[in-house]
Amino acid sequence: MRTQVAIIGAGPAGLLLGHLLRAEGIEVTVVERATAEYVLGRIRAGVLETTLTDLLHQLCIDQRLNAEGQLHDGFNLADGERLIRIDVAALTGRNVTVYGQTEVTRDLMDAAEERGLQVFYGAADVALHDIESDAPYVTFTKDGVEHRIDARFIAGCDGFHGPSRQAMPASVARPFEKVYPFGWLGILADVPPCNHELIYANHANGFALASMRSHVRSRYYIQVPLDEKIEDWPDDRLWDELAVRLGPDAAAHITRGPAIEKSIAPLRSFVFEPMRHGSLFLAGDSAHIVPPTGAKGLNLAASDVAYLTNALVAFFRKNDNDAIAGYSDKALNRVWKSERFSWQLTTLMHRFPGQTPFDRRMQLADLDYIASSVAAQTAIAENYVGLPL
Ligand code: APR
Ligand code: PHB
């Protein structure tokens, strides 16, 4: 088979790129290792920047987003005693949309089927070949049959564990990593949220987050040690701890209910440079990971994909090689700023092992400064809504 761009991975990055390129008349084929059901089983964050919602509107993949997405004008930081509201709309003139990333993926999948975007699910042994040439190709097996896709470019949208980043030669690879000494235990429950906006809380016991998917579905998280087991956290213990960490005002409005999903995720900051080598591009989690504090993962994937679409359109329409050559620097410029924001918010809001009383006072002083300074709130708000493309 032959195509112009072979896309590896049908997560949000791969599917969004597929739709955007196809809308520009560029042929794409997507290969995904998992089944569609498996991809949809992954529960991820749920705060969308306009970086992403603008693209979904442009593609007219926005019916459910328009009906079910909640526009939020602000969010809250809590320091154990009070809520510090960051009035994102007043400070930036923009807002964010609360809509589950799983739902974004579902909408992109449904549209792929309707529009004839070709996706091979259940592709095993996906391998990249000749990425330093102008004629790279991808091989895989499906149902015991070997396939080969010849392309002009390969887009590696295969997440942190996929083969694309590994295909970059060691001589050019520059990985940067920070692993945090804790994880997030998340619970999804069909109960109304405790607050109409998100609350990120820094309590002496550790971080907690109150989030939501809708008016009747809530998503909460608490920071836990990395060796903690889900079995250690029966629902009641988790609700009790959330009530403590989120503070008395939020606690008074928590509705408890059985968990429909509960999982522990580690926190990591990771950036891989460069994001292009030869005919291979990386986009999304294959090139970078942020800790979930601030919900930048999917939004960063969206900006990568927007830059990559522009570069590929310039190449196929005008034979413009500069756009291709500039992709990595352009994407990384925004990636590092989102990494900075996610790391900073993580550092501000979590309890670190070995944290001294001085370190704790620094966090509290920082939060008190934010509470009293419009300049500090503006800096947070403009990062939260998303830096310009
Ligand atoms: N072959 C083919 N596909 C693969 C392979 C492989 N060997 N390895 C991984 N994949 C697929 C995964 O199964 C997954 O569906 O690549 C996809 C990558 O999807 P994500 O991990 O969701 O990464 P990405 O699309 O970059 O997501 C960006 O969105 O949902 C959020 O938190 C997520 O921050 C992330 C962001
Ligand atoms: C979520 O709703 O799952 C969520 C929201 C905000 C975050 C992280 C996760 O920063």
Side-chain angles (χ1 to χ4, degrees):
M1 209 170 345
R2 176 167 291 283
T3 191
Q4 286 175 299
V5 181
I7 300 175
I8 306 181
L15 288 175
L16 187 61
L17 179 66
H19 280 292
L20 287 167
L21 293 178
R22 212 175 153 272
E24 296 289 344
I26 296 170
E27 289 168 23
V28 301
T29 300
V30 186
V31 287
E32 163 62 51
R33 184 184 54 182
T35 61
E37 295 70 40
Y38 181 87
V39 173
L40 286 177
R42 290 188 291 233
I43 310 278
R44 298 274 175 73
V47 180
L48 314 186
E49 296 175 1
T50 48
T51 322
L52 175 57
T53 51
D54 285 352
L55 294 173
L56 293 171
H57 293 315
Q58 181 190 319
L59 287 165
C60 297
I61 304 180
D62 59 357
Q63 247 181 316
R64 265 195 339 132
L65 175 71
N66 294 338
E68 296 169 27
Q70 297 178 31
L71 287 179
H72 280 209
D73 288 342
F75 69 99
N76 301 275
L77 300 176
D79 64 0
E81 285 176 17
R82 62 183 157 171
L83 289 187
I84 303 165
R85 182 162 188 269
I86 308 294
D87 190 337
V88 167
L91 294 165
T92 68
R94 292 157 64 206
N95 45 29
V96 292
T97 305
V98 170
Y99 186 69
Q101 294 186 13
T102 313
E103 304 313 314
V104 173
T105 311
R106 189 189 306 277
D107 296 344
L108 291 167
M109 266 184 192
D110 290 350
E113 203 155 308
E114 282 161 30
R115 298 175 185 193
L117 172 65
Q118 188 176 37
V119 186
F120 288 94
Y121 286 98
D125 308 322
V126 173
L128 298 83
H129 308 269
D130 292 355
I131 61 159
E132 288 178 345
S133 79
D134 290 347
Y137 63 100
V138 174
T139 53
F140 64 98
T141 51
K142 185 172 159 65
D143 304 326
V145 181
E146 278 204 26
H147 296 268
R148 168 174 168 150
I149 305 173
D150 288 285
R152 175 61 191 84
F153 294 106
I154 299 174
C157 302
D158 44 3
F160 186 65
H161 301 286
S164 296
R165 192 176 66 253
Q166 311 303 333
M168 292 273 192
S171 56
V172 303
R174 289 189 305 277
F176 300 82
E177 184 172 49
K178 180 176 177 66
V179 174
Y180 299 85
F182 40 73
W184 278 20
L185 166 60
I187 177 172
L188 189 67
D190 278 334
V191 292
C194 68
N195 191 50
H196 67 291
E197 291 174 342
L198 273 65
I199 303 173
Y200 294 81
N202 177 337
H203 185 273
N205 285 10
F207 171 79
L209 169 60
S211 181
M212 67 199 74
R213 292 290 176 271
S214 71
H215 297 299
V216 291
R217 180 168 285 190
S218 301
R219 180 74 166 155
Y220 291 96
Y221 300 90
I222 57 167
Q223 166 189 357
V224 292
L226 273 174
D227 54 6
E228 209 88 334
K229 304 265 174 302
I230 294 186
E231 303 78 73
D232 299 335
W233 288 94
D235 291 0
D236 277 340
R237 179 178 177 211
L238 182 45
W239 289 117
D240 287 346
E241 188 62 21
L242 279 164
V244 170
R245 295 192 191 182
L246 290 168
D249 290 347
H253 295 99
I254 291 179
T255 309
R256 298 179 178 216
I260 47 178
E261 197 264 357
K262 210 192 272 178
S263 54
I264 296 180
L267 270 70
R268 181 198 305 270
S269 297
F270 174 81
V271 180
F272 184 90
E273 295 183 350
M275 286 174 62
R276 179 194 69 96
H277 179 73
S279 297
L280 169 63
F281 298 92
L282 301 181
D285 277 16
S286 68
H288 41 73
I289 297 288
V290 285
T293 335
K296 290 296 170 209
L298 175 61
N299 295 304
L300 259 192
S303 56
D304 290 352
V305 160
Y307 294 137
L308 184 50
T309 300
N310 290 342
L312 289 169
V313 167
F315 177 86
F316 285 114
R317 293 245 174 90
K318 296 182 269 179
N319 223 354
D320 178 353
N321 276 302
D322 292 349
I324 297 291
Y327 165 73
S328 179
D329 284 350
K330 189 153 195 158
L332 283 167
N333 191 284
R334 193 168 188 278
V335 165
W336 277 114
K337 294 195 188 93
S338 281
E339 290 282 347
R340 185 201 69 86
F341 178 65
S342 308
W343 158 81
Q344 190 178 46
L345 200 56
T346 303
T347 307
L348 173 65
M349 301 307 292
H350 289 74
R351 187 175 178 89
F352 285 73
Q355 191 172 32
T356 64
F358 179 85
D359 297 334
R360 172 85 187 135
R361 286 301 175 100
M362 283 298 102
Q363 287 184 330
L364 295 176
D366 208 346
L367 284 164
D368 198 33
Y369 170 61
I370 292 165
S372 65
S373 163
V374 174
Q377 290 176 18
T378 307
I380 291 174
E382 70 181 3
N383 280 280
Y384 196 75
V385 288
L387 296 174
L389 277 185

